[in-house]
Amino acid sequence: MSILWNRIAVLGVSGFAMAAATQAHAQQAASEDTRSGPVLEEIVVTSDRPDSYGADFVQAGSFRGARQLDTPLTVNVISEQLLKSQQAQSVLDALRNSPGVTSSQTSPTVYNNLSIRGIPVENRGNYRLNGSLPIVNLIDLPLENKVRVEALKGASALYYGFTTPSGIINLTTKRPTADPLLSVAVNANDFGQVQGHVDASGTIGKLGMRGNFVHGDVDPGIDNVSGDRTFLSGALQYDVTDSVRINLDVEHIEKDMTEPTVVQGPTAVANLLTVLPRLPRASNNAGSEGFMNRAEEDNVLGRVSWRINSAWDLTVEGGTSYAERDRRFSTLANFNPVTGLGTLTMNAADGQLYRNRNGRIELAGAFATGPVIHELLVGASKNIRRQYSSPTVARVGTGSAATRDNCVLLGLTTTCLQSMYDPVDLANIRFDGTTAYNAARDTSIEDTGVYAFDRMRFGGPNDDMFSILAGVRKSDYKEKQRTATGPAIETFSDDPVSLSGGIVYKPVEWASIYGTYIEGLESTPGAPLTTNNAGEILPASDSTQYEAGVKLEPKKGLLLTAAYFDITRELTYTNAANFFVKDGEATYRGFEFSLTGEITPDLSIYASALSLRARQGETADATLIGNRIENTAKAQWSVSAEYRLTRFIDGLAINAGVYYTGDRAINPQNSLFLPSYTLYDLGGSYRFEIGGVGMTARVNAQNITNKRYFASTSSNYIAFGTPAVVKFSLTADLF
């Protein structure tokens, strides 16, 4: 808890480096008032369509507050109703409804290491709280206090600076309620996991408050895996005057959990895996329960918004995300897919530290020049990201006599051979991973930018038949590395200008056709833990994106989208010498489709599909040219739906889902492809009353066929899917 109060103190000393999702006031934009000219329409950042699988508005980036129909990019919004219906407990649980999202490298039980369209979602810069603060995704990000999860896909440099063009994952928090609210829930699964959740809210005068508390065990049904989690959050909202509002969001997250062992094939080209491993029992784990990760994170975000007049808003925001982690990452190295044997290795790294500090000031307004309505956004932002990747300590393996002794201590021979198919049950030992401070592994990024974005609309009865969008950002980017004897030295810098532009044509109010061009700026993710240059931050790079699509709302509350995208970026991968390198060019081209919302008042649907061609271009290794990019499926789709049986039993609903992922290469050499898989889910809910108290009971069975599958891959790593699970919850809305 000490980290939490330190972060609050930092925010207090920083003063009002706070706030503003200005586009929440702006992007829905500017209908013309005959008395005062164009005005900004205020959009409340909340659940814009309650009890729906769809959403009308976008809450991320320079399009914040805009209708999805008017947004010239692919945006997948996972609404609160969908999160509740599926009992989503992680970001991956939510975004498996979004095509192109796959788990990468690690087992998805401790935290979600994701890729979108085959491009890594950078864990320090691509995850955002309330469309603003970059939060560290190296711990499970809680959903209990979130009203939506959305993926703004593609390059987003104009608003967010240097981020990978996979997209921005935005988590929007629940706001204080005008009326008192107290909800108590118990969540469990059939493996014995039990967690409690309290959600309380209310208003005193002009001050609104909301708090969430979660605590309990974590049990995914995997052998020798255990853990627990705690989550606290607070949301404050204070209306200083009718035109000035202050928001403050605070989160404290703790999670201690065993990370299951993953398979690591040989990295030497001559020995790459070419035989598919046999799928073991989903509950198999070759590691020890003592291979425990301990992580803690605090997020603080403040926002001040001043409604200057009906046409202009000034907003200031600032915050910090601070995470500490002790990690135990274990692999079966040099894995033999026939025998299932590999050398059990475990690297311990204590004292990993990640800190983001972010500030932004924006002016948003609407004005007219002749027949053209302008919605203008001008702003400046600064993001400082520090990362200390403590050196790893090999505690299990076949190197020194000490590690061989540790093999025996765990219950293995000195060769440390362990089987994935029939693993030996190991002793529960947590090995130390503390090393002396290494300044060379203490790096930071400073990303400062000024930007302007103008949406010019004209034509038609609502002045929005045509919209022309133009944006520019000037960045000042620096990467630094600390030294043992002096101040940090600059290892890379750049001051690029990036442009974006687009056009939206709305022949009728319920349809739009669009095209966009975006120049992206990308911080390269750190080298994976088991590479020879683990933790190294490679120089940043550029990307470009073209997208064209159509969005249709054939009936109110039902949105159909179809888009073509073309992304080019510099290629990163682990080479044959086991170094993480930036080499060559990668292209990602494909089509994406979605249908979300309500087909009838009782039937909700969330359907999506992706067709992707991801290829490696010119590289130093000619054998890689033209290969499929690792961990990219040519096809991926999902369909989930909920039907409310109100005609038969009031309060009863059933839901189901189908999720398909195509085959994926495990490495740049394409030596082996993991097969495709399809998962099926089934669930239901029932709302009722006991003594005047509203109750909701839910049950969801994930992977009802108990399908064995490969969940994650990349850089020769293979992680297996988790067992089938049945989740239960009972919620009492006391008031």
Side-chain angles (χ1 to χ4, degrees), residues 325-328 347-352 390-393 433-434 529:
R325 180 172 69 159
D326 297 340
R327 191 179 188 193
R328 306 289 178 271
N347 290 288
D350 288 350
Q352 294 182 342
S390 52
T392 60
V393 183
T434 303
L529 188 65

Side-chain angles (χ1 to χ4, degrees), residues 68-69 71-74 504-505 507 510-515 547-553 559-564 592-594:
Q68 284 208 64
L69 199 66
T71 304
L73 279 176
T74 299
V504 180
Y505 170 54
W510 51 269
S512 64
I513 303 169
Y514 68 88
E547 181 168 320
V550 59
K551 299 186 179 184
L552 306 173
E553 193 174 28
L559 182 66
L560 172 66
T561 69
Y564 171 78
E592 191 163 329
F593 309 90
S594 69

Side-chain angles (χ1 to χ4, degrees), residues 460-543:
N462 297 316
D463 296 321
D464 65 351
M465 178 177 287
F466 295 95
S467 294
I468 298 175
L469 305 102
V472 60
R473 180 186 179 97
K474 170 66 174 178
S475 294
D476 182 9
Y477 180 88
K478 297 182 177 68
E479 293 180 1
K480 298 180 179 180
Q481 179 180 306
R482 296 197 178 190
T483 60
T485 57
I489 59 172
E490 188 174 292
T491 56
F492 176 80
S493 65
D494 198 3
D495 57 351
V497 175
S498 57
L499 304 174
S500 67
I503 185 169
V504 180
Y505 170 54
K506 295 178 67 176
V508 291
E509 187 61 26
W510 51 269
S512 64
I513 303 169
Y514 68 88
T516 56
Y517 168 77
I518 301 175
E519 295 176 352
L521 309 169
E522 178 177 350
S523 295
T524 308
L529 188 65
T530 55
T531 57
N532 292 340
N533 57 335
E536 181 182 355
I537 305 297
L538 302 179
S541 54
D542 302 329
S543 64

Side-chain angles (χ1 to χ4, degrees), residues 451-466:
Y451 52 89
F453 181 85
D454 189 11
R455 178 190 178 205
M456 298 160 279
R457 58 185 181 85
F458 54 91
N462 297 316
D463 296 321
D464 65 351
M465 178 177 287
F466 295 95

Side-chain angles (χ1 to χ4, degrees), residues 13-131:
V13 171
S14 301
F16 277 93
M18 289 194 191
T22 31
Q23 290 298 84
H25 298 316
Q27 271 319 106
Q28 156 67 358
S31 58
E32 187 168 356
D33 187 290
T34 56
R35 294 168 296 172
S36 58
V39 299
L40 290 176
E41 182 174 342
E42 182 173 3
I43 301 298
V44 179
V45 184
T46 183
S47 179
D48 57 56
R49 202 193 300 163
D51 300 323
S52 173
Y53 268 32
D56 290 325
F57 302 105
V58 177
Q59 304 292 6
S62 54
F63 302 106
R64 205 180 328 177
R67 295 179 65 200
Q68 284 208 64
L69 199 66
D70 299 330
T71 304
L73 279 176
T74 299
V75 184
N76 298 134
V77 179
I78 313 302
S79 69
E80 183 181 18
Q81 179 59 30
L82 184 55
L83 295 175
K84 288 180 177 179
S85 175
Q86 297 181 351
Q87 293 181 268
Q89 296 176 349
S90 68
V91 173
L92 180 58
D93 272 355
L95 291 179
R96 65 193 183 128
N97 296 283
S98 175
V101 177
T102 55
S103 182
S104 178
Q105 289 190 343
T106 62
S107 171
T109 55
V110 174
Y111 75 100
N112 299 147
N113 198 46
L114 301 180
S115 293
I116 298 179
R117 298 170 174 171
I119 305 172
V121 183
E122 211 280 317
N123 287 321
R124 297 171 300 153
N126 284 52
Y127 292 81
R128 299 284 167 151
L129 185 66
N130 291 334

